[in-house]
Amino acid sequence: HVQLVESGGGSVQVGGSLRLSCVVSGDTIGRYCMGWFRQGPGQERERVATVKSDGETNYAEFVAGRFTISRDIAKNTLDLQMNNLRSDDTAVYYCARSIYANSPKCHSGARAMNFWGQGTQVTVS
């Protein structure tokens, strides 16, 4: 049974930083595409960053070099370092695991994911 548990959310001022972490149990994260997504109030869930099994990363355009996705395969964790946060980064952030490993579909969006965490709130003001 695969479980994903996020932590690290909170409130931060514009220009600040946060580091989100996702602990995965029941599977090995290195076997699958993993990603971070977010959903703002009244908005659809959108992809923030994804990493394939082979380590290839991809970021949404709005990230613009501010965020970094990383894996610690030994600890089975997926992190998202967020710097220079803006008010429009306010959202619930979700960790997710894909049905794919190295398919280009890994970077396609929420439909490529089949396991989700419960989410962690990030508020930037």
Side-chain angles (χ1 to χ4, degrees):
H1 180 59
V2 179
Q3 288 188 311
L4 297 82
V5 179
E6 303 97 335
S7 63
S11 296
V12 64
Q13 292 183 337
V14 171
S17 298
L18 281 174
R19 188 176 184 89
L20 306 182
S21 186
C22 173
V23 178
V24 181
S25 60
D27 207 341
T28 303
I29 65 169
R31 296 175 57 193
Y32 293 95
C33 161
M34 300 286 300
W36 285 97
F37 293 74
R38 70 185 190 184
Q39 188 166 15
Q43 298 180 353
E44 293 187 356
R45 192 168 297 188
E46 61 181 352
R47 188 183 70 94
V48 176
T50 38
V51 54
K52 290 182 179 179
S53 175
D54 63 8
E56 176 189 296
T57 59
N58 188 278
Y59 296 88
E61 287 189 8
F62 62 78
V63 169
R66 301 178 297 131
F67 300 174
T68 302
I69 188 171
S70 62
R71 300 179 302 182
D72 187 326
I73 294 180
K75 295 182 179 179
N76 229 34
T77 58
L78 181 76
D79 288 354
L80 183 69
Q81 176 66 43
M82 303 187 293
N83 298 326
N84 193 20
L85 284 160
R86 311 184 303 217
S87 58
D88 59 1
D89 292 318
T90 294
V92 178
Y93 284 71
Y94 297 91
C95 170
R97 198 209 83 175
S98 177
I99 59 176
Y100 304 107
N102 293 310
S103 167
K105 292 181 180 179
C106 165
H107 303 319
S108 64
R111 291 182 179 180
M113 304 296 164
N114 62 338
F115 288 101
W116 295 87
Q118 83 288 350
T120 186
Q121 176 71 46
V122 172
T123 303
V124 186
S125 60

